[in-house]
Amino acid sequence: MAPYAGKILKDMGAEVIKMEPPDGDIGRRIGMVGRSGISLLSLNLNAGKKSIVVDASDPGEAETIRRLVGWADVIITNLLPSRREAFGLDWESVEKVDPATILVTGQGFSSVSERRDDPAYDDIVQAAAGIADTYRLRDGAPGYSPYVVADKVCGMSMVQGALAALYRRGTTGVGEWVDVPMVDTVAAFTLVEHLGGDTTNPSSGEVGWSRVLSPAHKPHRALDGWVCVMPYTDANWERFCRLIGRVDYLEHPDLRTNARRSAKPETYEAVLADYARTRTCDEIEAECRTARIPVQRVNEIRDLTRDEYIGRQPMITRSTHHAEGPYLHIGSPLQFAGASRPPVEDCSELDADRDEVLRLIERDSLNEIRTPNGSSRSGHS
């Protein structure tokens, strides 16, 4: 979560210092490893961040932490509240060092709730926030999303909070504590479409978005692969019915409007399945694009970086790590019209940048002249 937030900011040009415990961030030790022994997750997640080890149990490190807090525009942490206090990264401590600093905290439950110090990882959050239950509504039993959706959604929310607080500081000169409780954040994310009938009091119907919870809602088998065909709007649907020679479907009671197709998705999906099974992916894409109907063959993850569209996008950079050698760097998908992309930098070994970091914060503290709106420091995290 916090490492992902830091990566997003780094990819957008921020100077990011990664403060790590003596054994390093857990991301350095999980997942596949490369030829040099480095975690491939870390290779992308920590690219360009400067690493410094700080041991909270060592009283002598308190001054290092204080100097880092005083240097940073934004502090992002997913330490539990009680652990933040041990590091001096609670809001009371941070505000004393510099009231213009932005502190963004993230953990399973709200920092001001009784569950503030309950540990929670991605699966726990999915279970608490309704994501696991969407699988029950569809398949009959709860399940986990096959990617770390809670961590990444909350990481993006941390960036959103940091940027909003920085904008506010530009007007007021005042720092801010932004708390991002994971369960709250992901529950809000889930309930956008799945609160359903419980939106009203008393309830006016079932929870869940019927279209996406139908077991029939999935890509369809073509002659040579899998494909998604999505004539979603009524205009899309009319063009699709004419394409397949079934204009009678325009008056079918379960198909004639978007609302009815969403309420009875099994009928709609059966029509799409019948269409797909008689054609190749190329034929389906050609016909649907000509008819201006949304269509996409299913890409395998292994093929994403070679895809004719994705593979040419600037977020993918062929880079070289000093120890690992050539690798693919996955950067920010955002494209700013008036700015060039920052160069890709290496993922540092643990504590490799300690001396450089200490020189950097010393230099900046000597050179800094604070303006009334706090704008003299920018891009530090």
Side-chain angles (χ1 to χ4, degrees):
M1 176 172 56
Y4 186 57
K7 171 184 169 50
I8 294 171
L9 291 171
K10 177 60 188 175
D11 285 340
M12 291 195 292
E15 181 78 74
V16 178
I17 293 175
K18 184 176 179 67
M19 192 169 73
E20 304 188 60
D23 59 347
D25 178 73
I26 192 173
R28 292 185 180 273
R29 305 187 297 277
I30 59 176
M32 294 180 62
V33 297
R35 295 177 293 272
S36 65
I38 192 172
S39 160
L40 298 184
L41 175 68
S42 185
L43 194 66
N44 261 307
L45 201 57
N46 291 329
K49 300 176 185 177
K50 292 179 169 60
S51 172
I52 181 170
V53 165
V54 177
D55 185 354
S57 65
D58 180 357
E61 292 280 51
E63 177 59 18
T64 300
I65 295 173
R66 192 199 67 77
R67 291 173 66 194
L68 285 166
V69 168
W71 171 85
D73 286 292
V74 178
I75 298 166
I76 295 177
T77 177
N78 55 7
L79 292 173
L80 291 172
S82 59
R83 294 198 64 209
R84 294 201 296 263
E85 292 166 7
F87 278 87
L89 296 177
D90 57 295
W91 177 238
E92 184 178 354
S93 299
V94 168
E95 191 178 26
K96 284 179 180 177
V97 174
D98 190 340
T101 298
I102 309 299
L103 173 66
V104 183
T105 58
Q107 62 291 311
F109 303 89
S110 169
S111 288
V112 295
S113 73
E114 293 181 354
R115 300 193 65 180
R116 64 198 295 268
D117 280 317
D118 284 4
Y121 298 104
D122 200 276
D123 293 352
I124 301 297
V125 176
Q126 290 193 43
I131 288 182
D133 191 53
T134 62
Y135 290 84
R136 179 191 64 82
L137 292 171
R138 188 189 66 186
D139 304 327
Y144 297 130
S145 172
Y147 60 105
V148 285
V149 59
D151 272 4
K152 289 187 283 189
V153 166
C154 293
M156 290 188 285
S157 295
M158 293 179 96
V159 171
Q160 182 183 44
L163 297 178
L166 281 169
Y167 181 83
R168 177 175 178 270
R169 191 184 77 178
T171 301
T172 66
V174 178
E176 184 78 70
W177 174 25
V178 182
D179 195 44
V180 183
M182 295 180 73
V183 170
D184 309 43
T185 302
V186 177
F189 183 81
T190 303
L191 291 173
V192 168
E193 71 271 34
H194 286 301
L195 184 58
D198 279 6
T199 302
T200 60
N201 186 17
S203 177
S204 54
E206 297 294 324
V207 297
W209 187 255
S210 59
R211 186 182 72 83
V212 299
L213 291 174
S214 169
H217 176 67
K218 58 187 178 182
H220 295 295
R221 168 78 78 174
L223 290 174
D224 60 347
W226 297 85
V227 68
C228 170
V229 180
M230 197 171 178
Y232 188 63
T233 67
D234 289 339
N236 292 154
W237 180 246
E238 180 179 356
R239 291 195 294 271
F240 180 73
C241 290
R242 296 189 185 285
L243 170 65
I244 64 174
R246 294 299 303 265
V247 292
D248 56 305
Y249 285 160
L250 296 174
E251 299 303 323
H252 191 290
D254 293 340
L255 297 173
R256 63 173 179 252
T257 66
N258 174 278
R260 296 199 175 200
R261 293 190 297 275
S262 294
K264 295 287 185 71
E266 292 78 15
T267 306
Y268 165 74
E269 296 289 353
V271 173
L272 300 180
D274 286 343
Y275 167 70
R277 69 167 53 98
T278 62
R279 294 163 170 82
T280 67
C281 290
D282 281 347
E283 289 170 338
I284 293 168
E285 288 189 322
E287 288 181 352
C288 288
R289 285 173 181 163
T290 299
R292 292 179 292 121
I293 297 163
V295 63
Q296 175 63 52
R297 72 179 67 206
V298 173
N299 284 329
E300 295 185 3
I301 291 176
R302 183 179 293 275
D303 295 330
L304 285 182
T305 58
R306 298 186 290 268
D307 178 73
E308 62 181 11
Y309 170 76
I310 298 173
R312 293 201 299 263
Q313 296 310 300
M315 69 177 182
I316 299 176
T317 305
R318 298 188 180 278
S319 191
T320 302
H321 184 266
H322 70 274
E324 183 61 25
Y327 78 102
L328 289 179
H329 175 77
I330 309 302
S332 173
L334 302 182
Q335 299 181 35
F336 294 90
S340 58
R341 299 178 72 85
V344 176
E345 301 175 50
D346 265 5
C347 163
S348 293
E349 280 85 5
L350 181 65
D351 205 36
D353 306 299
R354 183 179 188 85
D355 291 342
E356 181 184 351
V357 166
L358 294 178
R359 286 195 301 269
L360 174 67
I361 60 179
E362 179 67 23
R363 182 201 69 195
D364 285 0
S365 66
L366 292 173
N367 293 338
E368 181 178 300
I369 301 175
R370 173 75 68 185
T371 60
N373 67 359
S375 63
S376 64
R377 297 187 310 185
S378 61
H380 298 163
S381 176

